[in-house]
């Protein structure tokens, strides 16, 4: 099967590079599945999982927003943060979820709800990716 080369890059450096058969992820416009030969495209990404299918297995990477750039033989994801499932600190993610949930439940005027909600989504995404790792 033809493959497409994928790079996932963050401000701290590259976190994933591989030739894969299919990349699936969630763009703001909906779920995307990209194969080699895809037409060029740029799309903003949601907080979500990137699934990379190759040689009968699927690698998972948790991605915190950013952009997807597609060319026929190359997919580049530029993200604020990204962690392969194997590098997720699950205790840290659960603590972050707990903190965010407490803030969201607090009936206080000084809580930045939008910020707490985003922290909760990041934490839940990491937990989800960790739990679905192969
Ligand atoms: P926390 O509150 O635990 O710091 P956060 O969602 O605020 O979580 P980010 O600002 O998204 O964290 O990320 C900061 C850096 O920490 C990034 O480099 C990210 O890859 C890394 N990171 C965050 N949470 C985890 C985790 N659970 N496991 C591994 N790396 C993580």
């Amino acid at each position: 099967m033809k493959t497409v080369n994928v790079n996932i890059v963050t401000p701290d450096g590259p976190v994933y590079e591989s030739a894969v058969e299919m990349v699936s992820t969630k763009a703001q416009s909906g779920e995307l599945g990209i194969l080699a030969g895809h037409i060029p495209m740029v799309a903003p990404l949601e907080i979500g999982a990137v699934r990379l299918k190759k040689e009968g297995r699927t690698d998972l990477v948790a991605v915190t927003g950013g952009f997807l750039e597609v060319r026929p033989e190359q997919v580049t994801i530029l993200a604020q943060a990204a962690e392969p499932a194997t590098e997720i600190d699950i205790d840290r993610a659960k603590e972050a979820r707990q903190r965010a949930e407490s803030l969201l439940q607090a009936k206080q005027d000084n809580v930045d709800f939008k910020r707490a909600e985003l922290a909760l989504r990041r934490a839940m995404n990491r937990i989800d990716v960790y739990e679905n790792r192969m």
Side-chain angles (χ1 to χ4, degrees), residues 12-26:
D12 297 329
V15 303
Y16 185 94
E17 178 175 14
S18 183
V20 307
E21 287 143 23
M22 180 157 89
V23 192
S24 325
T25 190
K26 201 166 155 201

Side-chain angles (χ1 to χ4, degrees), residues 10-12 15 62 64 80-84 87-97 99 118-123 126-127:
T10 73
D12 297 329
V15 303
T64 299
Q80 204 53 50
E83 306 88 35
E87 281 165 32
I88 289 174
D89 177 341
I90 188 63
D91 294 335
R92 176 174 168 179
K94 286 183 172 171
E95 282 164 21
R97 178 178 64 182
R99 270 197 312 278
L118 284 171
L120 179 62
R121 284 173 54 199
R122 291 195 300 274
R126 287 173 178 131
I127 293 165

Side-chain angles (χ1 to χ4, degrees), residues 6-11 15-16 23-28 43-52 59-68 75-85 88 118 121-130:
V6 177
N7 273 291
I8 302 178
V9 182
T10 73
V15 303
Y16 185 94
V23 192
S24 325
T25 190
K26 201 166 155 201
Q28 286 172 7
L45 291 180
E46 293 285 358
I47 294 170
V50 176
R51 291 186 297 285
L52 303 129
D59 292 337
L60 281 180
V61 180
V63 169
T64 299
F67 286 89
L68 171 80
V75 172
T76 306
I77 291 172
L78 296 173
Q80 204 53 50
E83 306 88 35
I88 289 174
L118 284 171
R121 284 173 54 199
R122 291 195 300 274
M124 286 176 51
N125 181 41
R126 287 173 178 131
I127 293 165
D128 196 50
V129 165
Y130 180 86

